[in-house]
């Protein structure tokens, strides 16, 4: 039943289970860059992401018809680049927030909110994934 | 609690308490007569403050009982137990504790000077050491200052505004704070931007500020001078209402028996210690220039 629900929920939003992650789960989660992406530092402060277009038959055909480039590029600003660089799968959300607080001297709350929103946006665009550690056994 | 923990003034509408530096103001509502604010810690502790204006004699005990009974009713709805105790400190102040799925320690008092009844409570999870933290925070509560100036403390910014200025508008965004106060036609605008190192990387302070302020200051003809604030770069702004349309506005204000606020004064400075840019502007009549007093009372960073 659960497996069926998982499959159906990919296409039918209201069947989707509500997220039950606590604040602690989120703080422990480790954002990890999508390995398909290529990225490079274009200057001291900016990072350029290269996102490949879909490589199946339809994707290749659409690229040919519309003369679309093989990659989409996104330029991250200074703060965004700093966050992107730390998201290597070894640092959890809390560590990222701490690092950004220290570097840019912003309050923890401000940092948590803005870094959280930014990571959520990257996650929605499938540029990042989140490794959730298992809960500790009591 | 870590003994080295640093405290900063945090509060709203002139009601402030010294709380650990990493605690943050998360909810604000109401005005100087009736209102509420909540400060969250990084863990499960939270500090709440509620106030309401009241003239004349008030039965504080009845007021507190009503508040606690209301909490009891809410707990009962959730099928949770609720116990409370009230201790009378003096005629003007009552201490209380309650225990349910969370526990809390608080105080209710009436201030005769600002005529407000205040309830402050620190609550936390059952395992939290509330008593210790409450003993550090509760005595630091201030609901008015001695000279009538109203203290505002949020996200590390501490500012004071002269009496009678009422908060007209505020923006509390990540990396940007704006507080606008008004007294008739006079206006005080306090702003703070974060990430100064990033925003000033390619722009000098003057150009960067002009880009932001050009729209707000378009009614004024002003000059900007570079100055130094304790070896930190800053700007001083002075000006007057410029266009004919604005002079007509002044005439209109005069006709309404209000002093026209045709003068502009301001300071902008970069605080490298906190990596933030601060700005104060006052739009005022000739006699009502309080910019230097406001500047003296603003705290951009705490010295070690």
């Amino acid at each position: 039943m659960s497996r069926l629900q998982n499959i159906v929920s990919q296409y039918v939003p209201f069947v989707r289970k509500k997220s039950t992650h606590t604040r602690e789960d989120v703080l422990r989660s480790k954002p990890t860059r999508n390995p398909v992406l290529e990225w490079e530092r274009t200057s001291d402060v900016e990072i350029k992401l290269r996102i490949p277009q879909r490589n199946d038959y339809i994707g290749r055909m659409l690229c040919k018809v519309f003369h679309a480039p093989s990659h989409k590029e996104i330029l991250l600003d200074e703060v965004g680049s700093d966050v992107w660089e730390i998201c290597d799968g070894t640092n959890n959300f809390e560590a990222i927030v701490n690092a950004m607080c220290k570097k840019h001297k912003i309050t923890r709350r401000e940092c948590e909110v803005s870094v959280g929103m930014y990571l959520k946006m990257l996650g929605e665009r499938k540029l990042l994934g989140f490794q959730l550690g298992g809960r500790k056994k009591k | 609690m870590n003994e080295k923990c640093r405290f900063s003034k945090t509060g709203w509408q002139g009601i402030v308490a010294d709380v650990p530096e990493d605690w943050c103001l998360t909810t604000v509502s109401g005005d100087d007569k009736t209102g509420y604010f909540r400060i969250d810690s990084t863990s499960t502790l939270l500090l709440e403050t509620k106030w309401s204006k009241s003239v004349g004699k008030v039965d504080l005990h009845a007021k507190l009982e009503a508040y606690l009974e209301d909490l009891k009713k809410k707990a009962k709805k959730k099928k949770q137990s609720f116990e409370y105790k009230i201790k009378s400190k003096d005629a003007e102040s009552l201490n209380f504790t309650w225990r349910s799925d969370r526990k809390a320690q608080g105080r209710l008092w009436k201030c005769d000077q600002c005529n407000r009844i205040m309830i402050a409570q620190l609550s936390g999870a059952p395992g939290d050491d509330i008593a210790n933290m409450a003993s550090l925070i509760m005595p630091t509560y201030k609901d008015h200052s001695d000279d009538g100036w109203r203290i505002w403390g949020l996200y590390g910014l501490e500012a004071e505004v002269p009496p009678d200025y009422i908060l007209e508008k505020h923006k509390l965004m990540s990396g940007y704070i704006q507080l606008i106060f008004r007294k008739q036609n006079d206006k005080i605008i306090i702003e703070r931007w974060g990430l100064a190192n990033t925003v000033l990387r390619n722009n000098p302070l003057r150009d960067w500020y002009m880009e932001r302020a050009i729209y707000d200051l378009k009614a004024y003809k002003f000059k900007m001078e570079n100055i130094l604030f304790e070896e930190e770069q800053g700007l001083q702004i002075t000006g007057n209402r410029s266009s004919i349309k604005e002079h007509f506005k002044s005439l209109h204000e005069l006709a309404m028996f209000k002093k026209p606020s045709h003068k502009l004064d301001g300071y902008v400075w970069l605080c490298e210690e906190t990596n933030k840019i601060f700005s104060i502007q006052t739009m005022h009549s000739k006699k009502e220039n309080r910019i230097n007093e406001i500047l003296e009372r603003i705290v951009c960073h705490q010295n070690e």
Side-chain angles (χ1 to χ4, degrees), chain B residues 29-46:
Chain B
S29 66
D31 51 27
D32 64 327
K33 291 185 182 81
T34 314
Y36 169 85
F37 70 77
R38 180 177 138 173
I39 300 167
D40 284 11
S41 72
T42 49
S43 62
T44 48
L45 291 175
L46 60 98

Side-chain angles (χ1 to χ4, degrees), chain B residues 84-120:
Chain B
Y84 66 82
K85 275 181 197 163
I86 299 175
K87 280 181 198 166
S88 176
K89 201 179 168 191
D90 51 61
E92 296 292 300
S93 169
L94 294 169
N95 288 342
F96 64 90
T97 55
W98 58 256
R99 185 181 279 269
S100 179
D101 60 329
R102 287 172 68 82
K103 61 179 184 178
Q105 201 166 317
R107 189 155 74 94
L108 178 140
W109 73 98
K110 188 182 175 212
C111 176
D112 288 328
Q113 206 163 325
C114 57
N115 284 322
R116 289 193 280 202
I117 298 173
M118 320 274 308
I119 298 183

Side-chain angles (χ1 to χ4, degrees), chain A residues 23-24 27 44-46 77-79 82 100 103-115, chain B residues 22 24-26 40 42 155-156 173-177 192 194-195 197-198 201 272-276:
Chain A
R23 186 171 181 272
E24 280 68 37
L27 288 175
D44 285 352
V45 290
E46 284 172 348
D77 69 358
E78 185 181 345
V79 186
D82 287 344
M100 297 309 288
K103 184 169 182 192
H104 296 285
K105 295 177 183 171
I106 37 181
T107 60
R108 202 188 152 78
R109 174 89 187 170
E110 285 177 302
C111 194
E112 240 180 67
V113 171
S114 39
V115 170
Chain B
D22 52 358
C24 274
L25 195 68
T26 52
D40 284 11
T42 49
Y155 307 107
M173 290 154 68
S174 178
Y176 176 65
I177 297 172
R192 194 190 75 182
L195 303 173
N197 60 349
T198 308
R201 189 178 296 279
E272 282 176 12
E273 180 81 25
T274 54
N275 194 27
K276 289 182 174 72

Side-chain angles (χ1 to χ4, degrees), chain B residues 11-27:
Chain B
W12 194 249
Q13 295 286 356
I15 300 155
V16 286
D18 289 351
V19 296
E21 221 173 32
D22 52 358
W23 290 28
C24 274
L25 195 68
T26 52
T27 312

